[in-house]
Amino acid sequence: MARSLSDSIVHEEAARWLLRLGDAPDDAAIFESFEDWRDASPEHRQAFEDVQESWALFGDQAAAPELLVLRRDALGRAGGAGKRPGLDRRGVAAGLAALAAGPLAIYGWRQLHPDARQTLRTAVGEQRTVTLSDGSRVSLDANTLVKVAYSPALRLAEVVEGRAHFEVAKDKARPMKVRAGTRTVTALGTAFTVEHEGARVIVTLVEGRVAVTEAAPVRGAAPPPKELAPQQQLVFAADATPPLMHEAVDVERAMAWREGKLVFDDESLADAVARVNNYSRVKIVVEDAPARALKISGIFNAGDTPAFVEAVQSYFPVDVSADGSTVEIRSRT
């Protein structure tokens, strides 16, 4: 559905801010002005997120000089960096036409190719496998949300939450990029798993090669890409510490969730519970920090919450109480 003129003007403003921030990442005055504009209304914040998402759709191509020139030229005709865009509606119309002209558009592609976007979702305890239009396969774990967007130049997926395994069909002209939070996995033809729970992201490579990149902060440069070889696993912890690379991961154990098994190897009880809760409507709540920090190892049947709770109670000094829909675990005092 086409945007209204007023909505398009807001998106034009957002696109200009994206360019200004990229041109002057260390300019505190520009950043403060941007924050004032972004926080002025929910519409401004949403528009900026939309433009960022569409810019990211083109990956490394977004920074190509010819694209920057085209976008700045279009945005300039849409009102100019120093003028209110609503004062020149002919300029706005010209800018919108330029932005929507083909796959180089910042956000016009979304309107030209609405059928190329999919939302894949699984419920608590549900798993499913979906074959995408290019032949790639995505296996979704329980309680998972994945968004897919294909353009003529790129295949993009986003693991919004949960865990998904990607078997990517080879297409050298269109790399597959899978985002999770601020991290992006780039692959051509390969198989890998991406897990996104809260601020934690885990990438496990089964075959092929992938590169994992992190989004650049508004101020400063992005960290260098991290390349993975088969049986390597890259873990971005929730506490923003540097990522941890695991070598020679047991792929069968890492993929056991597809067979209905949950495998924990010296993981915190908090992380283990987050996974267990994806398979049952009876939710476990770990009440205190000492209990959340306990380390657990073992193999459990997905959905068998009572067996998991019984094991925790047997091996750790914790107390357990239940009310039918919730199981509370707390350190024993």
Side-chain angles (χ1 to χ4, degrees), residues 65-90:
E66 59 270 24
L67 267 70
L68 295 175
V69 170
L70 282 171
R71 287 164 174 165
R72 286 194 177 91
D73 183 55
L75 292 171
R77 289 197 298 273
K83 297 189 295 182
R84 291 182 61 83
L87 298 179
D88 183 359
R89 298 203 171 195
R90 288 187 179 183

Side-chain angles (χ1 to χ4, degrees), residues 117-129:
R117 292 190 289 145
Q118 293 178 267
T119 298
L120 312 176
R121 188 189 302 270
T122 53
V124 172
E126 176 191 11
Q127 293 183 344
R128 60 185 291 220
T129 297

Side-chain angles (χ1 to χ4, degrees), residues 305-321:
T305 299
F308 176 83
V309 172
E310 182 179 351
V312 170
Q313 193 173 17
S314 298
Y315 286 98
F316 298 113
V318 296
D319 291 321
V320 175
S321 59

Side-chain angles (χ1 to χ4, degrees), residues 13-254:
E13 291 178 326
R16 274 195 294 278
W17 276 116
L18 187 65
L19 292 174
R20 291 182 69 190
L21 292 168
D23 287 340
D26 297 320
D27 192 317
I30 289 179
F31 183 73
E32 289 175 4
S33 297
F34 159 70
E35 287 187 315
D36 290 341
W37 174 86
R38 182 196 60 192
D39 297 336
S41 73
E43 290 76 15
H44 287 185
R45 182 178 293 273
Q46 183 61 54
F48 190 74
E49 291 177 359
D50 288 347
V51 170
Q52 281 185 306
E53 179 182 344
S54 297
W55 184 278
L57 179 65
F58 299 100
D60 297 336
Q61 302 174 56
E66 59 270 24
L67 267 70
L68 295 175
V69 170
L70 282 171
R71 287 164 174 165
R72 286 194 177 91
D73 183 55
L75 292 171
R77 289 197 298 273
K83 297 189 295 182
R84 291 182 61 83
L87 298 179
D88 183 359
R89 298 203 171 195
R90 288 187 179 183
V92 170
L96 291 175
L99 284 169
L104 300 184
I106 290 180
Y107 59 84
W109 176 84
R110 292 172 128 198
Q111 299 163 6
L112 294 174
H113 299 271
D115 296 334
R117 292 190 289 145
Q118 293 178 267
T119 298
L120 312 176
R121 188 189 302 270
T122 53
V124 172
E126 176 191 11
Q127 293 183 344
R128 60 185 291 220
T129 297
V130 178
T131 301
L132 304 178
S133 60
D134 66 334
S136 297
R137 290 163 54 88
V138 183
S139 298
L140 284 75
D141 198 359
N143 206 25
T144 293
L145 173 61
V146 175
K147 294 183 178 180
V148 179
Y150 279 13
S151 81
L154 183 66
R155 298 172 290 174
L156 176 68
E158 180 182 8
V159 180
V160 180
E161 61 181 359
R163 177 164 49 183
H165 180 70
F166 295 85
E167 299 170 49
V168 180
K170 292 184 178 180
D171 185 347
K172 292 183 178 180
R174 291 195 305 168
M176 169 76 86
K177 292 181 178 285
V178 178
R179 292 190 298 168
T182 60
R183 284 87 185 196
T184 301
V185 183
T186 302
L188 290 174
T190 187
F192 58 93
T193 297
V194 177
E195 182 176 355
H196 186 193
E197 293 286 351
R200 186 179 67 157
V201 173
I202 301 175
V203 180
T204 305
L205 183 60
V206 176
E207 62 181 50
R209 297 190 72 88
V210 299
V212 182
T213 57
E214 297 187 64
V218 174
R219 306 178 193 180
K226 296 176 176 60
E227 293 191 6
L228 273 67
Q231 294 184 285
Q232 287 186 326
Q233 183 181 77
L234 189 59
V235 179
F236 295 89
D239 58 6
T241 56
L244 179 64
M245 180 76 80
H246 294 295
E247 306 285 351
V249 170
D250 186 329
V251 171
E252 288 190 7
R253 287 171 64 92

Side-chain angles (χ1 to χ4, degrees), residues 289-311:
R292 288 193 290 270
L294 293 171
K295 298 295 185 178
I296 185 170
S297 298
I299 301 176
F300 301 88
N301 291 323
D304 193 350
T305 299
F308 176 83
V309 172
E310 182 179 351

